[in-house]
Amino acid sequence: MRRWKIVGLVVVLLLGSVIFYFLNTRIWIDKFEMNGDTIIFENHVYVSKGTLSESDTDNLGKKIGVAADGKRTLTDYIWPVWIYEYKDDREQHNRIFAKGLMDLGTVYLKQAQQ
C-alpha cells in the first residue's frame, strides 16, 4: 500500500510540473503583437531585420514573451512564436529574436517610441 502512495505522489508531482511549465511559458509570459514585419510591445515598435546570419543566433538569452498576429488562437498556445532577448542587451531590448516551432527565426530591431 505504501508503494502505491509513493507512485501516486510522483505522478501528481510530474503532472503538476507539466501544468506549471505550460502556464509559465504560455500564459503568464509577456504578449507581443505581430503585425506583418513589425512586432509591438507596450510602446516599442520592432521591425524585422530581413536577413538572418549565424551571429544573430549565437548570443540568445531567455524567453521573454510570445507573439501572436491578432487574437491568440489555440495553436498559438500549443506552438507559440517565442520572443527571445539577447544576453548582451537584457536591459534595453534594442533587438529581439522571434522563433516559431519549425522556423529559423527572425531578428527584430527597435525602431521608435510610439
Side-chain angles (χ1 to χ4, degrees):
M1 186 69 158
R2 188 171 192 182
R3 181 179 293 177
W4 290 110
K5 288 182 181 180
I6 293 173
V7 169
L9 180 62
V10 168
V11 168
V12 167
L13 287 174
L14 285 174
L15 286 174
S17 64
V18 167
I19 291 170
F20 179 78
Y21 175 78
F22 183 84
L23 291 173
N24 194 36
T25 59
R26 289 166 172 83
I27 307 296
W28 298 331
I29 199 164
D30 288 331
K31 279 85 175 164
F32 290 72
E33 180 185 338
M34 292 183 85
N35 189 4
D37 286 341
T38 62
I39 292 179
I40 301 168
F41 179 68
E42 294 176 349
N43 60 347
H44 303 290
V45 176
Y46 297 90
V47 177
S48 174
K49 180 179 168 185
T51 59
L52 183 66
S53 66
E54 188 174 324
S55 64
D56 289 330
T57 60
D58 288 344
N59 197 18
L60 291 180
K62 67 177 187 166
K63 295 174 189 165
I64 59 171
V66 292
D69 189 10
K71 186 176 179 184
R72 292 177 73 185
T73 61
L74 180 61
T75 57
D76 291 326
Y77 288 102
I78 298 171
W79 301 289
V81 175
W82 300 108
I83 303 295
Y84 293 89
E85 69 180 0
Y86 282 90
K87 291 178 185 173
D88 59 354
D89 189 24
R90 287 188 176 153
E91 298 299 321
Q92 299 296 321
H93 292 141
N94 289 320
R95 63 183 181 144
I96 56 175
F97 187 77
K99 183 177 185 319
L101 181 65
M102 301 297 285
D103 186 12
L104 294 176
T106 306
V107 177
Y108 288 84
L109 303 173
K110 187 187 291 186
Q111 291 300 308
Q113 303 270 336
Q114 275 189 346

